[in-house]
Amino acid sequence: MYGVKYEIDEMMSSSTFSRNMNKVSELLEKMNRVVVLRNNSPEMVVLPIEEYERIKALADLAEHLEIAKLIETRKSEKQFDLEDVLAGK
């Protein structure tokens, strides 16, 4: 979908994932992510909580920057008084 490449060493079948949490933990320590396969296709990625929180913080920052950019853009636009708009002026 996004062109992400996965290493064979970080992949695990969904049946192994559901039955063996110790193996999941070991693989997370070694590879820093686990790609769970269903019908030989990537179904999900499991991350250590620290990595997830880092990614979430970056996504939140990107969203805040986009909002700030929108605010700055709108500051330079013509402003309308609510009463004038409601009056049809």
Side-chain angles (χ1 to χ4, degrees):
M1 181 183 201
Y2 295 105
V4 176
K5 302 293 183 200
Y6 304 107
E7 300 294 325
I8 193 75
D9 294 345
E10 63 190 4
M11 295 182 185
M12 172 182 292
S13 70
S14 58
S15 58
T16 301
F17 176 77
S18 66
R19 283 183 272 156
N20 195 341
M21 197 54 143
N22 287 335
K23 184 166 174 106
V24 174
S25 294
E26 289 171 10
L27 198 52
L28 275 176
E29 287 178 16
K30 179 181 170 190
M31 300 301 292
N32 205 35
R33 69 179 176 186
V34 174
V35 180
V36 181
L37 303 175
R38 180 175 287 166
N39 298 324
N40 294 321
S41 294
E43 178 73 17
M44 69 178 89
V45 175
V46 180
L47 302 171
I49 191 69
E50 297 84 11
E51 181 66 9
Y52 169 78
E53 289 173 348
R54 186 184 72 78
I55 292 169
K56 178 73 169 101
L58 289 172
D60 290 347
L61 177 60
E63 181 180 12
H64 292 154
L65 291 172
E66 188 65 31
I67 291 169
K69 182 179 171 184
L70 181 60
I71 290 169
E72 287 301 313
T73 300
R74 289 188 177 175
K75 281 182 181 178
S76 64
E77 294 176 356
K78 182 176 179 182
Q79 302 294 313
F80 298 94
D81 188 52
L82 179 59
E83 288 78 23
D84 291 344
V85 171
L86 293 175
K89 294 181 183 180

